[in-house]
Amino acid sequence: MITNPRIEAYLATLVPQRSELLSRLEEEAAKEGIPIIQLASAQVMRMLVKLHKPKAILEIGTAIGYSTIWLAEAAPEARIVTMELDAERISRARNNFAEAGVAERIELIEGDAGRGLAKHYQFDCLFIDAAKGQYRAFLDLYLPHVRDGGLIISDNVLFRGLVTDPEAASKRQRPLVDKIDRYNRYLLEHPELETSFIPVGDGLAVSHKRSLGRS
Ligand code: SAH
Ligand code: MG
């Protein structure tokens, strides 16, 4: 929670009813400590995707497929490529995609997202939500796969509020908090991106890709 917890709890009550499957995944994730996107952030992402109408989406960090299913529902025509390295989560995500009836539109790539993708993959939306310390590497690797005009969403960019309060971070967290801060500034200064930071959930950065030489 990075905003007032009461505001966050209130916003969560204003999110439209989800499917039984999504609600169940929220419970599983809470019980097992799987870091899925927060409800109010998921709703913002859904709205952005509905407005943007991407035909192809790349997600970095599938976990059990919770956010992937939100994306698939928000963009019913889209093909989604999603990447995950944890074998147990991969098999659960596959089952969840089948249960949601979206499996045929989703390509789940197993392994380290740091390895990149073949050149022919092109997307109009990129969602970055895997290892927080590697966001810049993921962006550098996958931005060339995003078409001009594309939408890039990065989750957890305020990291429990610690980005604005690094003194409160533990010794172990501090390098990560500093990295996320540098990533946010990198987004801001990136010549191909215009970025806006939204203090919802754990913090969303919303970026628009423009072609170089145009604004
Ligand atoms: N997007 C999901 C949550 C993802 S949690 C949701 O909101 O529902 C982050 C996931 O990224 C974890 O499951 C972790 O195993 C995975 N991950 C971390 N580093 C990775 C990497 N280098 N390549 C692929 N997946 C990675
Ligand atoms: Mg996240």
Side-chain angles (χ1 to χ4, degrees):
M1 298 274 167
I2 53 155
T3 53
N4 181 330
R6 289 177 58 189
I7 293 179
E8 199 67 33
Y10 175 68
L11 291 180
T13 69
L14 297 180
V15 173
Q17 194 62 44
R18 277 96 58 219
S19 63
E20 225 173 87
L21 172 62
L22 285 176
S23 305
R24 200 187 76 219
L25 297 184
E26 286 159 19
E27 283 165 27
E28 286 178 18
K31 224 181 324 168
E32 301 173 43
I34 299 168
I36 60 168
I37 190 168
Q38 290 183 29
L39 200 45
S41 305
Q43 180 62 18
V44 170
M45 184 169 76
R46 176 184 168 89
M47 187 57 63
L48 290 168
V49 167
K50 284 204 150 191
L51 295 169
H52 188 61
K53 302 184 178 65
K55 292 275 182 288
I57 301 174
L58 172 62
E59 174 181 64
I60 313 299
T62 320
I64 55 174
Y66 175 76
S67 55
T68 326
I69 294 170
W70 273 87
L71 290 167
E73 289 180 359
E77 314 262 275
R79 298 200 52 79
I80 302 178
V81 173
T82 182
M83 300 173 121
E84 173 59 55
L85 47 65
D86 182 288
E88 200 246 345
R89 289 182 181 174
I90 288 169
S91 95
R92 288 170 67 178
R94 289 199 191 285
N95 289 335
N96 293 329
F97 296 156
E99 189 172 336
V102 295
E104 66 288 347
R105 291 196 281 129
I106 297 176
E107 180 183 352
L108 174 46
I109 296 183
E110 309 185 8
D112 182 4
R115 292 184 316 197
L117 274 175
K119 217 174 162 189
H120 67 267
Y121 281 95
Q122 288 291 312
F123 304 94
D124 9 62
C125 179
L126 167 64
F127 176 47
I128 303 180
D129 194 25
K132 312 302 158 208
Q134 292 174 52
Y135 271 25
R136 178 170 171 171
F138 294 141
L139 182 73
D140 288 345
L141 198 51
Y142 295 113
L143 192 59
H145 291 272
V146 177
R147 297 187 182 98
D148 290 349
L151 169 71
I152 298 112
I153 301 174
S154 310
D155 190 30
N156 310 98
V157 296
L158 296 172
F159 197 59
R160 304 171 197 173
L162 295 173
V163 176
T164 50
D165 194 9
E167 312 304 292
S170 67
K171 231 178 161 169
R172 195 178 53 82
Q173 287 171 326
R174 186 62 192 263
L176 185 57
V177 167
D178 290 343
K179 263 192 167 170
I180 294 172
D181 180 41
R182 286 201 299 276
Y183 175 72
N184 289 339
R185 289 171 202 289
Y186 183 66
L187 285 176
L188 183 75
E189 285 158 16
H190 199 294
E192 285 180 281
L193 299 177
E194 174 159 344
T195 298
S196 159
F197 296 89
I198 307 183
V200 66
D202 202 31
L204 282 182
V206 179
S207 309
H208 182 236
K209 181 177 178 181
R210 56 190 166 211
S211 61
L212 287 172
R214 280 195 281 127
S215 57

